Amino acid sequence: MNSDIDAVEAFIYEKEGQQQSLLRALHELLYGHYELTTKIRYKIPFYYRKSWICYLNPIKNEGIELAFLRGNELSNAQGILDSKGRKQVYGIDLHTASDIPMTLLREILQEAILLDETVPYPSKRKK
């Protein structure tokens, strides 16, 4: 195993109860099923291919937000992503592993991965 995946798994096992169950289920989906690369950034797990696709953000001991960094570019045809007033990042708050809307989440992930693979991320950095 590499140190990045070890760091993410250590992050997951530091959590307790529902948060740990949610993190394990989402990590298995993102890393295991979709084979996204993972790293700890800003003290939370981020998942990427060409650019950052999503991250898992614990919500004050009560759940996890699965947030998509290019959420504003996704169709949100499922109607479950919320911007929470942010311009670019959209996410979904989950409170138990049984809450995870797997079918809808897979649709969003497939769209986010397709976007990442086909539309270069517009860098805002000055050259």
Side-chain angles (χ1 to χ4, degrees):
M1 279 202 171
N2 69 43
S3 60
D4 290 326
I5 192 65
D6 289 346
V8 170
E9 289 181 355
F11 174 89
I12 292 169
Y13 288 104
E14 286 170 5
K15 303 299 177 199
E16 297 179 355
Q18 291 296 343
Q19 275 193 329
Q20 188 185 91
S21 299
L22 275 165
L23 286 165
R24 275 201 320 245
L26 293 167
H27 177 71
E28 177 56 35
L29 178 67
L30 299 166
Y31 178 75
H33 183 76
Y34 287 100
E35 300 176 348
L36 298 179
T37 305
T38 185
K39 271 190 180 180
I40 296 288
R41 289 281 181 256
Y42 310 104
K43 300 181 182 174
I44 57 175
F46 278 71
Y47 295 83
Y48 65 98
R49 283 240 174 106
K50 289 183 176 180
S51 63
W52 301 111
I53 294 174
C54 60
Y55 61 84
L56 301 176
N57 190 23
I59 307 164
K60 296 180 185 161
N61 296 324
E62 61 178 62
I64 300 294
E65 180 186 27
L66 170 58
F68 292 88
L69 285 98
R70 296 174 72 180
N72 61 321
E73 297 177 65
L74 299 175
S75 69
N76 197 15
Q78 303 78 9
I80 62 172
L81 296 177
D82 181 6
S83 71
K84 296 183 180 177
R86 299 171 291 203
K87 290 182 181 178
Q88 183 174 334
V89 176
Y90 283 56
I92 176 174
D93 290 352
L94 302 162
H95 299 282
T96 65
S98 60
D99 283 349
I100 301 173
M102 278 300 185
T103 303
L104 300 178
L105 212 47
R106 287 175 194 261
E107 291 173 10
I108 295 167
L109 279 163
Q110 287 168 342
E111 183 183 357
I113 291 167
L114 182 64
L115 176 67
D116 180 62
E117 291 174 348
T118 59
V119 180
Y121 181 72
S123 178
K124 305 242 185 320
R125 291 187 177 149
K126 304 213 184 229
K127 296 190 177 178

